[in-house]
């Protein structure tokens, strides 16, 4: 009996697919190599060779009331401060100060709580004290210190905090420390190794050099084009070496080139799925970068008149459970927002005291969070960078929360791996979920009156795509070491396939 001959159209399809596979592969070979090497480096450097710092946060301590002699009003009057945005207490170098954020942009003043004298260059001095505390380094010389109000190549938007002080130290690791003085937070720290990692990742993975010479739209568009080509190249390889595998099984391996070709096919089939998932999730994630970053603008900071506090807070005294306090305003009332020391579970709660009556109100925090959600919805809708003039008349259009039901309110004291991960930085926060069409959820940091995160179904879909398909968070059950190892091996497999394909193209 005669064997069935392969139809001509099948032969032609095979030939064209193979031709397109080679062409598409060689077009994207350099981007794939760059993406794989930089992607391979990321889990290795960020996990197994992650730099450390002596202290990652400033531990909360009870307010030393013996160092507080003057009220806020007395201090502001003495220094002729007529309006202010907010205040809190900070203690360093043996003294306690009222840290006052004024109505002037990025101006933070420090007044001794005992005698009311102003500490000249107080914010700069406090930034230095914080950075030395975080490093546990009192000896190294500071080579540069500057207030940073924008994100850049070494201080990414994922660090969230702005403005921050950047302090550079004369050390073997050329350490840069970024601190937010208004919350006493460590924003990030960059030794030499991390600076190198950031440059490599920015250059070879995010292609930020394209944005610097063109614009973000061109940068993302080119990346999406190449990722699309990679997807078609991977799919054509799967069709050729998967569905037409019987053709190649009969090929006798007699030389090195044939061996390389065989390995290219087998490894290519093995990593085809992760190639597609890397390309899809990377492209999907890149599109989100076209959206303007507005979280640093999402803050409610009304002006307070100093005269309004002439007869208030005089009888309110800190006790041993207070870690700090500031002031908030809504519904035409002012409340003292008291941050309590962490409890046995490490949770830091707030309590609210009416500034006029001195009576605690236990219902305010949730009401205030709802109030802030309304303001941020308005700001999201109109892309405003300033708080609306009359916050009592906010029209909620961003996510239709005006007529929606608040279906869930919860307090987060730790990050989770689902929706509010460590990349969001701020804790504790209040999670507020609304019954809107896009399941709008606000994460609000009450102590700073800031929006920590804004999540809709579209954000969740992209977030899950990137977390599962790009960062392999579905393997968290196995531990971070195993997860990062599998991710690194996957990137290595794609790299090997690409290099083998390049070799075969050159030999051809």
């Amino acid at each position: 009996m005669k064997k069935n001959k392969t139809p001509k159209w099948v032969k032609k399809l095979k030939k064209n697919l193979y031709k397109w596979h080679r062409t598409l592969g060689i077009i994207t070979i350099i981007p794939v190599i760059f993406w794989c090497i930089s992607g391979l480096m990321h889990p290795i450097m960020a996990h197994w060779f992650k730099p450390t710092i002596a202290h990652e946060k400033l531990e909360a301590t009870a307010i030393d009331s013996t160092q507080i002699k003057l009220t806020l009003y007395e201090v502001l009057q003495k220094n002729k401060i007529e309006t202010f945005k907010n205040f809190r207490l900070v203690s360093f170098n043996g003294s306690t100060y009222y840290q006052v954020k004024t109505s002037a942009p990025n101006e933070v003043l420090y007044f001794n709580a005992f005698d009311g004298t102003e500490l000249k260059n107080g914010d700069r001095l406090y930034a230095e004290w914080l950075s030395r505390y975080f490093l546990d380094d009192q000896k190294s010389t500071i080579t540069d210190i500057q207030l940073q109000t924008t994100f850049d190549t070494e201080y990414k938007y994922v660090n969230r905090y702005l403005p921050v002080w950047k302090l550079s130290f004369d050390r073997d690791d050329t350490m840069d420390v970024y601190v937010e003085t208004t919350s006493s937070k460590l924003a990030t720290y960059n030794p030499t190794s991390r600076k190198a990692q950031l440059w490599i990742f920015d250059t070879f993975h995010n292609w930020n050099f394209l944005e610097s010479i063109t614009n973000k739209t061109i940068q993302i568009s080119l990346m999406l084009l190449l990722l699309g080509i990679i997807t078609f190249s991977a799919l054509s390889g799967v069709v050729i070496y998967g569905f037409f595998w019987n053709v190649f099984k009969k090929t006798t391996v007699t030389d090195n080139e044939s061996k390389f070709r065989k390995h290219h096919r087998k490894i290519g089939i093995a990593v085809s799925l992760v190639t597609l998932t890397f390309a899809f999730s990377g492209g999907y994630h890149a599109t989100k970068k076209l959206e303007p970053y507005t979280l640093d603008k999402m803050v409610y900071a009304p002006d307070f008149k100093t005269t309004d506090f002439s007869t208030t807070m005089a009888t309110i005294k800190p006790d041993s459970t207070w870690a700090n306090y500031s002031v908030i305003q809504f519904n035409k009332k002012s409340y003292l927002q008291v941050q309590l020391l962490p409890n046995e579970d490490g949770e830091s709660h707030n309590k609210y005291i009416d500034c006029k009556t001195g009576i605690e109100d236990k219902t305010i925090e949730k009401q205030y969070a709802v109030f802030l959600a309304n303001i941020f919805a308005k700001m999201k809708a109109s892309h405003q960078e300033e708080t609306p003039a009359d916050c009592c008349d906010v029209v909620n259009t961003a996510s239709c929360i005006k007529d929606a039901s608040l279906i869930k309110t919860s307090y987060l004291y730790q990050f989770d791996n689902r929706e509010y991960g460590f990349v969001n930085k701020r804790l504790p926060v209040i999670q507020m979920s609304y019954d809107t069409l896009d399941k709008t959820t606000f994460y609000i940091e009450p102590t700073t009156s800031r929006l920590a995160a804004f999540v809709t179904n579209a954000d969740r879909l992209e977030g899950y795509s990137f977390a599962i398909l790009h960062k392999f968070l579905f393997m968290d059950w196995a531990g971070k070491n195993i997860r990062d190892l599998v991710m690194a091996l996957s990137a290595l497999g794609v790299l090997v396939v690409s290099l083998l394909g390049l070799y075969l193209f050159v030999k051809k």
Side-chain angles (χ1 to χ4, degrees):
M1 295 178 63
K2 291 184 178 180
K3 295 182 179 180
N4 293 328
K5 292 185 177 180
T6 303
K8 290 184 178 181
W9 70 269
V10 175
K11 291 181 178 180
K12 188 174 182 180
L13 177 61
K14 292 178 184 178
K15 182 178 179 180
N16 288 334
L17 276 177
Y18 184 70
K19 178 181 177 182
W20 277 108
H21 178 70
R22 292 177 68 251
T23 302
L24 295 176
I26 204 61
I27 289 174
T28 58
I29 188 67
I30 299 301
V32 169
I33 290 175
F34 284 165
W35 274 325
C36 287
I37 292 177
S38 57
L40 181 63
M41 176 212 66
H42 192 266
I44 294 174
M45 295 298 294
H47 181 55
W48 293 303
F49 296 96
K50 182 179 179 180
T52 58
I53 197 167
H55 304 106
E56 293 195 350
K57 65 178 181 178
L58 181 65
E59 297 297 334
T61 57
I63 295 172
D64 185 355
S65 58
T66 63
Q67 293 190 349
I68 304 173
K69 183 179 179 180
L70 301 179
T71 66
L72 174 68
Y73 172 74
E74 291 170 330
V75 168
L76 296 180
Q77 277 289 93
K78 179 179 179 178
N79 290 275
K80 299 180 180 180
I81 306 294
E82 297 180 354
T83 62
F84 65 98
K85 289 287 186 182
N86 217 318
F87 80 97
R88 67 188 192 107
L89 292 176
V90 296
S91 297
F92 66 104
N93 292 338
S95 298
T96 297
Y97 300 90
Y98 285 107
Q99 182 193 68
V100 179
K101 184 172 176 55
T102 72
S103 299
N106 300 322
E107 184 179 58
V108 183
L109 304 179
Y110 292 70
F111 303 102
N112 193 295
F114 193 83
D115 59 20
T117 57
E118 182 181 355
L119 178 65
K120 300 300 181 183
N121 297 316
D123 206 37
R124 183 186 180 107
L125 292 173
Y126 187 49
E128 179 179 346
W129 184 88
L130 282 173
S131 63
R132 290 190 181 279
Y133 169 81
F134 291 133
L135 285 175
D136 194 18
D137 183 348
Q138 304 300 322
K139 296 181 179 180
S140 297
T141 302
I142 294 178
T143 60
D144 187 41
I145 178 170
Q146 55 184 299
L147 184 67
Q148 186 159 332
T149 58
T150 59
F151 299 110
D152 59 23
T153 55
E154 290 190 351
Y155 187 71
K156 302 292 188 181
Y157 73 93
V158 294
N159 293 303
R160 296 297 193 262
Y161 302 115
L162 277 180
V164 292
W165 284 92
K166 175 185 178 182
L167 299 98
S168 302
F169 287 80
D170 184 14
R171 303 181 358 152
D172 291 340
D173 58 5
T174 65
M175 179 70 79
D176 291 338
V177 180
Y178 298 81
V179 296
E180 184 186 57
T181 54
T182 53
S183 65
S184 302
K185 296 286 184 65
L186 171 66
T188 193
Y189 56 97
N190 292 339
T192 303
S193 59
R194 182 172 282 174
K195 292 174 190 175
Q197 177 193 350
L198 287 170
W199 183 85
I200 292 172
F201 204 76
D202 268 357
T203 304
F204 299 109
H205 211 84
N206 294 333
W207 296 12
N208 282 359
F209 65 91
L210 282 177
E211 183 182 1
S212 63
I213 60 178
T214 56
N215 56 57
K216 185 173 286 291
T217 300
I218 293 177
Q219 171 200 6
I220 301 301
S221 298
L222 181 58
M223 292 177 73
L224 292 176
L225 174 62
L226 291 171
L227 287 169
I229 295 174
I230 290 170
T231 300
F232 284 117
S233 177
L235 287 173
S236 62
V238 170
V239 172
I240 295 169
Y241 302 132
F243 293 101
F244 300 151
W245 181 247
N246 62 315
V247 176
F248 298 103
K249 283 196 301 184
K250 299 176 183 179
T251 304
T252 304
V253 178
T254 58
D255 53 26
N256 286 335
E257 183 177 344
S258 297
K259 290 179 181 179
F260 279 116
R261 194 178 302 282
K262 180 179 179 181
H263 293 320
H264 176 70
R265 294 165 185 164
K266 287 186 175 181
I267 299 174
I269 289 293
V271 301
S272 60
L273 179 61
V274 294
T275 302
L276 293 172
T277 57
F278 278 155
F280 170 77
S281 58
Y284 194 4
H285 186 66
T287 61
K288 300 295 289 185
K289 295 184 178 182
L290 292 172
E291 300 176 2
Y293 182 81
T294 59
L295 273 183
D296 58 319
K297 305 293 190 301
M298 296 294 163
V299 56
Y300 172 58
D303 285 322
F304 293 94
K305 292 182 179 179
T306 300
T307 54
D308 291 342
F309 293 85
S310 59
T311 58
T312 63
M313 301 197 315
T315 59
I316 301 175
K317 303 295 183 183
D319 63 34
S320 60
T321 65
W322 291 24
N324 218 317
Y325 58 99
S326 56
V327 66
I328 65 169
Q329 184 184 70
F330 78 109
N331 292 341
K332 300 180 180 180
K333 288 186 178 182
S334 296
Y335 298 87
L336 203 64
Q337 184 184 61
V338 180
Q339 299 169 45
L340 302 176
L341 291 171
N343 59 22
E344 294 179 353
D345 297 323
E347 299 175 351
S348 299
H349 296 271
N350 296 331
K351 72 176 183 179
Y352 296 82
I353 301 173
D354 190 305
C355 287
K356 287 189 176 181
T357 65
I359 300 174
E360 181 182 355
D361 190 329
K362 296 183 178 181
T363 67
I364 288 302
E365 188 160 51
K366 182 176 178 180
Q367 294 178 39
Y368 186 54
V370 172
F371 172 78
L372 290 176
N374 290 335
I375 290 175
F376 297 142
K378 169 72 180 288
M379 294 171 70
K380 291 288 289 186
S382 60
H383 300 289
Q384 287 180 239
E385 296 187 1
E386 300 292 337
T387 302
D390 186 355
C391 296
C392 295
D393 296 325
V394 172
V395 178
N396 307 299
T397 57
S399 300
C400 305
I401 69 171
K402 181 179 180 181
D403 300 318
S405 300
L406 179 59
I407 58 176
K408 180 182 179 182
T409 302
S410 58
Y411 293 80
L412 300 185
Y413 302 97
Q414 294 181 341
F415 299 112
D416 62 54
N417 289 328
R418 292 179 60 82
E419 189 167 288
Y420 192 78
F422 71 92
V423 71
N424 293 289
K425 292 284 187 177
R426 300 184 181 277
L427 281 178
V429 294
I430 300 177
Q431 176 186 356
M432 307 182 66
S433 302
Y434 286 85
D435 187 21
T436 62
L437 291 176
D438 57 5
K439 303 301 179 185
T440 303
T441 300
F442 295 84
Y443 291 88
I444 293 172
E445 185 180 45
T447 54
T448 59
S449 300
R450 283 186 174 275
L451 178 64
F454 176 82
V455 182
T456 63
N457 279 341
D459 300 313
R460 292 183 185 94
L461 184 60
E462 188 280 322
Y464 288 143
S465 164
F466 195 70
I468 295 172
L469 303 180
H470 214 86
K471 300 177 71 175
F472 285 26
L473 292 191
F474 66 88
M475 290 198 63
D476 275 352
W477 58 270
K480 199 171 189 300
N481 283 327
I482 299 299
R483 185 199 76 191
D484 286 352
L485 178 62
V486 171
M487 183 167 58
L489 289 175
S490 298
L492 181 62
V494 178
L495 176 62
V496 169
V497 169
S498 301
L499 293 175
L500 288 173
L502 179 61
Y503 171 81
L504 293 171
F505 180 84
V506 172
K507 294 296 290 183
K508 192 74 173 180

